[in-house]
Amino acid sequence: MKEPKTTHVLFVCLGNICRSPAAQTVMEQLVADRGLAHAILCDSAGTYSGHTGEKADPRMRYAASRRGIDITHRARQVRSQDFDRFDMLVAMDDSNYDKLFRLAPTAEATDKIHRMCEFFGERFARDWDHVPDPYYEGSEGFELVLDMLEEGCANLLNELEAADKDK
Ligand code: 4NP
């Protein structure tokens, strides 16, 4: 019998208090809605250690809660061992992407690094090549990030499901 394989996805931003914990939670909710919680596990981390142990930014938690998304993650810094634990590391912007490249323990490990914008669709693919940092923005910055993550995570999940069917 085919051994069911769990796919582990790590979302990465700078502080791990705005974009990546939101991406993790949006994805976890989509995964649960499709009955795939046993097959796809998500986590998030930041390239910067300064917010380690903190809950997500209250502005992001508030914006997410209005969409029924409850972010409970505590921030942590990404580490090179994450390349052993995770099948995919999804960076929110070019700076996070470059830092992951520098952290990757082997050349093969770099194959696991992706950008969130790879999964943008109709609404965002044309105009955006990153998920913008909302930290110094107003509430509309957080809404934009959540809109992008809802579209991107749904497409990422579609790709993971399609890849699993091909196996
Ligand atoms: P994030 O946002 O990378 O989406 O979590 C930020 C959080 C904190 C800071 C910058 C961006 N900061 O400068 O502390």
Side-chain angles (χ1 to χ4, degrees), residues 12-21 45-48 50-51 54 57 59-60 92-93 96 131-136 142 145:
V12 178
C13 63
L14 172 61
N16 193 213
I17 55 169
C18 298
R19 293 165 293 175
S20 64
T47 59
Y48 166 64
H51 294 285
E54 292 178 18
D57 188 292
R59 295 166 296 171
M60 180 53 90
M92 296 295 135
D93 63 29
N96 319 145
V131 180
D133 184 349
Y135 194 68
Y136 297 103
F142 290 85
V145 166

Side-chain angles (χ1 to χ4, degrees), residues 16-136:
N16 193 213
I17 55 169
C18 298
R19 293 165 293 175
S20 64
Q24 172 193 350
T25 315
V26 166
M27 186 70 171
E28 283 172 341
Q29 201 143 316
L30 289 168
V31 163
D33 289 348
R34 292 197 204 174
L36 293 170
H38 60 287
I40 300 171
L41 291 182
C42 304
D43 191 8
S44 63
T47 59
Y48 166 64
S49 66
H51 294 285
T52 297
E54 292 178 18
K55 284 187 183 174
D57 188 292
R59 295 166 296 171
M60 180 53 90
R61 281 190 281 131
Y62 173 70
S65 74
R66 291 180 44 202
R67 301 179 187 219
I69 301 161
D70 179 25
I71 303 176
T72 59
H73 178 78
R74 295 271 180 173
R76 72 166 178 92
Q77 190 174 25
V78 64
R79 45 188 180 256
S80 61
Q81 296 94 308
D82 285 320
F83 284 88
D84 300 327
R85 290 178 49 213
F86 292 91
D87 302 292
M88 276 184 101
L89 293 89
V90 184
M92 296 295 135
D93 63 29
D94 282 349
S95 167
N96 319 145
Y97 186 80
D98 292 345
K99 290 219 171 86
L100 287 177
F101 259 82
R102 272 179 259 142
L103 192 65
T106 61
E108 294 76 54
T110 61
D111 292 342
K112 296 182 175 183
I113 307 172
H114 294 263
R115 289 182 169 89
M116 193 71 221
C117 64
E118 286 171 43
F119 307 103
F120 287 170
E122 221 171 78
R123 190 157 168 209
F124 295 110
R126 209 181 41 164
D127 297 328
W128 290 93
D129 63 3
H130 66 287
V131 180
D133 184 349
Y135 194 68
Y136 297 103

